[in-house]
Amino acid sequence: KKIPAVIVDVAGENERLELALIENTQRDDLKPMELAKAYKELMTRTGYRQEDIARIAGRSRSAVANTLRPLDLSSVVIKALDKKVITEGHARVFLSIPESEQARLLNEVLTKSLSVRQTEALAKQMQNDVEKKAVQKSEPDPDIQALIKEMESFFGSKVALKTRGKSSGVIEIRYSTEDELDKIVNKLRGEL
């Protein structure tokens, strides 16, 4: 017939949202992504910063920032975290690798039942592999470099060659004055 209750007269929309957030965060079954989404929604609706959310929720700003970080995960990792297939510790590791690699790492974690430490080691290895591929892609092909030098010598201008796949691309011949442009056009026409 009676329950303990506190009646609060809330005037503004922001105050209602703040109270709803505080009440919602007290739930025992609150999932990490639910809390992150609640923080994000409050920030979006009110324009609050992480510091404001920290004050309202009685947490540190860094705790709020860490709570929001999982929102940057790929959707498959978010689903796994929501279903408690992986832990929050696992989820933090996924933030260290590109989103394009997260599904592959998740598959490895699930098939091999990796611990957080093992996941960290695998993520580091994957990150190194991604960096090696980027370095390999950025190393210029010596044949292409020789071709560029030959064209620069022929046209007397800077030349850039941008490949698109193995069999197509764009050649850029740069000029600074109308005279340089005329020279390039005449060379192309075979008039020089």
Side-chain angles (χ1 to χ4, degrees), residues 85-105:
V85 176
I86 60 170
T87 67
E88 287 181 63
H90 283 101
R92 279 191 286 278
V93 175
F94 283 89
L95 290 165
S96 68
I97 63 169
E99 193 172 318
S100 59
E101 296 292 316
Q102 291 180 9
R104 190 165 67 99
L105 178 59

Side-chain angles (χ1 to χ4, degrees), residues 105-122:
L105 178 59
L106 178 62
N107 185 47
E108 291 287 320
V109 169
L110 297 179
T111 57
K112 297 177 180 175
S113 300
L114 299 179
S115 69
V116 173
R117 296 291 165 250
Q118 291 169 320
T119 304
E120 286 172 345
L122 183 56

Side-chain angles (χ1 to χ4, degrees), residues 26 31-32 37 156:
Q26 304 307 312
K31 295 177 183 174
K37 288 174 185 174

Side-chain angles (χ1 to χ4, degrees), residues 150-178:
E150 184 181 338
M151 286 190 288
E152 286 177 343
S153 175
F154 178 77
F155 289 113
S157 266
K158 278 287 190 191
V159 173
L161 192 80
K162 298 177 183 176
T163 57
R164 294 183 181 151
K166 292 189 177 193
S167 59
S168 67
V170 175
I171 298 172
E172 288 181 1
I173 305 169
R174 298 189 180 104
Y175 62 91
S176 309
T177 65
E178 282 188 40

